[in-house]
Amino acid sequence: MSTILTYIAISDGKLKRSSLEVLSHCKSLADASGASCEAVVIDANASSFVDGIQKYGASKVHVVEDPIFKNHMNTPLLKALSKVMSSVNPSVFAFASTEGTKDILGALAANQNAAVIADVASFGLIDGGVTAKRPVMAAKIMNNTEAKSDKVLVSVRSGSYDLNESPESAEVVNVDFSMDDSEMKATLREIISASGDTIDLNEAEAIVAAGRGVKDEEGKALISELASVLKAGIGASRALTESGVYDPSLQIGQTGKVVSPQLYIAVGISGAIQHVAGMANSKVIVAINKDPDAPIFEVADYGIVGDLYKVLPPFIEEIKKIKS
Ligand code: FAD
């Protein structure tokens, strides 16, 4: 029986939602194809995550636990993934497309002589491989890609699949792991967290994104209030990160983060192709812009034409009423 393996990433001591989305999809592929659905978790406290993982349908969870995994480091992660991959021999090894995944996917493919399709919006099984849809050319075009190999690595954009609980009583496989200091090629000296305690945009269910239409502190306060009532993350167009109004880590788009929350509210953003490349995959897009011809309305599900300074206060009040 073939195996579909999912890598479950951990961030700030929590299971990454995007990994569980991928696992949910792999579970449905495994059920349809008769493959075994398995997962691997690698962390300093990896065994504590097994309960959360088995809820999403993994029948076997490979656990690699070692203090070295307290923070993301490419060398030990690559070694652990290679070890698990060599022993499980999955036909498909699926990842959420996180920054950490981008760092190691190519090296793992080379190391394991596997094919790789990165950053897909969806994927399925075909005879002898994987078929996937990949957004290309700043997400203007969806490219159909096939990889035919007995081992295919695939990374999936966050928000591409829904979370689907499918509880299993998983077999736990503890994987022996040790790493000699001499094997470490890099030293982690410091982690600088640019956006403090703000919500991780890759994991956020809702994002309120500000563009050049947000001109002053009053506008920023409205964005913060809307984000707060929706428990949303705050993002920004490049116009506002370049001018220093928002931190560069909050930039969404071709040269920023690629996000796909359930709800994306674009406030005072024109909808330039480079911005849309980073948010077009969002489930529901709401645009607020005073220009009825702004290109953002072409990708929006709901549009409000108006001055954000007049639209947002009653909009926020209505959401507060609904929430209460
Ligand atoms: P603008 O295009 O100036 O739009 C402002 C909008 O606000 C207008 O539509 C206006 O009608 C509206 N507005 C103004 N006042 C109000 C008001 N009071 N109420 C309501 N609406 C109002 N951009 C990104 O965002 N992310 C990227 O990753 C990115 N990468 C790039 C990479 C390259 C190589 C290049 C060349 C560009 C990149 N850009 C990126 C820049 C991009 O082309 C746009 O310049 C940028 O997205 C514009 O930001 P904006 O929509 O906030 O500003």
Side-chain angles (χ1 to χ4, degrees):
M1 183 168 49
S2 64
T3 300
I4 301 177
L5 183 64
T6 306
Y7 170 62
I8 306 295
I10 307 295
S11 174
D12 294 332
K14 283 190 270 186
L15 291 162
K16 259 196 175 285
R17 181 176 64 97
S18 46
S19 295
L20 297 174
E21 291 166 1
V22 178
L23 177 58
S24 301
H25 177 59
C26 287
K27 168 69 175 161
S28 63
L29 289 179
D31 283 350
S33 65
S36 162
C37 175
E38 302 185 12
V40 51
V41 58
I42 300 172
D43 188 74
N45 296 309
S47 48
S48 65
F49 298 106
V50 170
D51 279 355
I53 295 169
Q54 61 188 1
K55 260 200 238 160
Y56 293 89
S59 59
K60 202 184 266 192
V61 182
H62 304 265
V63 173
V64 190
E65 186 164 295
D66 191 281
I68 201 162
F69 298 117
K70 186 163 179 286
N71 295 305
H72 176 99
M73 294 281 284
N74 288 342
T75 310
L77 183 60
L78 192 56
K79 183 174 176 180
L81 287 170
S82 300
K83 182 166 187 186
V84 172
M85 196 169 166
S86 297
S87 78
V88 176
N89 198 21
S91 51
V92 177
F93 194 179
F95 298 73
S97 186
T98 64
E99 270 95 1
T101 301
K102 285 175 188 153
D103 258 9
I104 49 93
L105 204 64
L108 183 64
N111 173 307
Q112 294 288 310
N113 200 20
V116 60
I117 314 181
D119 222 17
V120 308
S122 66
F123 77 97
L125 306 179
I126 51 170
D127 209 13
V130 164
T131 179
K133 281 196 191 308
R134 279 185 82 222
V136 292
M137 310 283 284
K140 273 234 135 179
I141 296 171
M142 278 297 201
N143 165 244
N144 286 322
T145 305
E146 283 185 5
K148 292 219 167 172
S149 167
D150 53 352
K151 282 177 272 185
V152 182
L153 308 182
V154 58
S155 68
V156 185
R157 288 181 168 214
S158 110
S160 297
Y161 292 105
D162 293 330
L163 284 180
N164 254 332
E165 288 198 19
S166 171
E168 282 276 345
S169 180
E171 180 189 340
V172 176
V173 180
N174 291 305
V175 180
D176 275 343
F177 182 85
S178 66
M179 185 105 194
D180 199 86
D181 279 353
S182 62
E183 293 176 77
M184 291 298 289
K185 297 192 172 87
T187 309
L188 180 67
R189 292 197 190 283
E190 188 186 1
I191 296 173
I192 300 165
S193 182
S195 46
D197 58 0
T198 55
I199 295 171
D200 177 357
L201 292 177
N202 291 314
E203 295 288 295
E205 299 252 340
I207 292 176
V208 178
R212 208 189 316 258
V214 175
K215 292 192 171 58
D216 49 22
E217 287 305 317
E218 185 195 344
K220 278 184 84 178
L222 287 169
I223 295 291
S224 297
E225 194 178 359
L226 178 58
S228 159
V229 294
L230 289 170
K231 295 193 173 37
I234 295 178
S237 73
R238 187 156 122 177
L240 291 195
T241 55
E242 267 186 352
S243 59
V245 177
Y246 284 98
D247 191 276
S249 65
L250 302 183
Q251 182 178 314
I252 290 166
Q254 186 184 327
T255 44
K257 290 206 162 85
V258 176
V259 297
S260 35
Q262 299 294 321
L263 174 66
Y264 189 91
I265 305 184
V267 185
I269 292 179
S270 60
I273 181 175
Q274 296 90 354
H275 184 81
V276 171
M279 45 67 78
N281 220 20
S282 305
K283 289 271 173 351
V284 174
I285 298 171
V286 178
I288 301 171
N289 197 303
K290 67 179 184 186
D291 174 6
D293 296 323
I296 192 73
F297 289 125
E298 287 166 26
V299 293
D301 299 287
Y302 300 94
I304 301 174
V305 178
D307 181 340
L308 69 94
Y309 289 88
K310 294 194 180 123
V311 169
L312 282 183
F315 190 68
I316 292 166
E317 282 316 307
E318 283 306 311
I319 295 171
K320 279 186 184 162
K321 275 189 215 155
I322 294 164
K323 291 257 176 194
S324 65

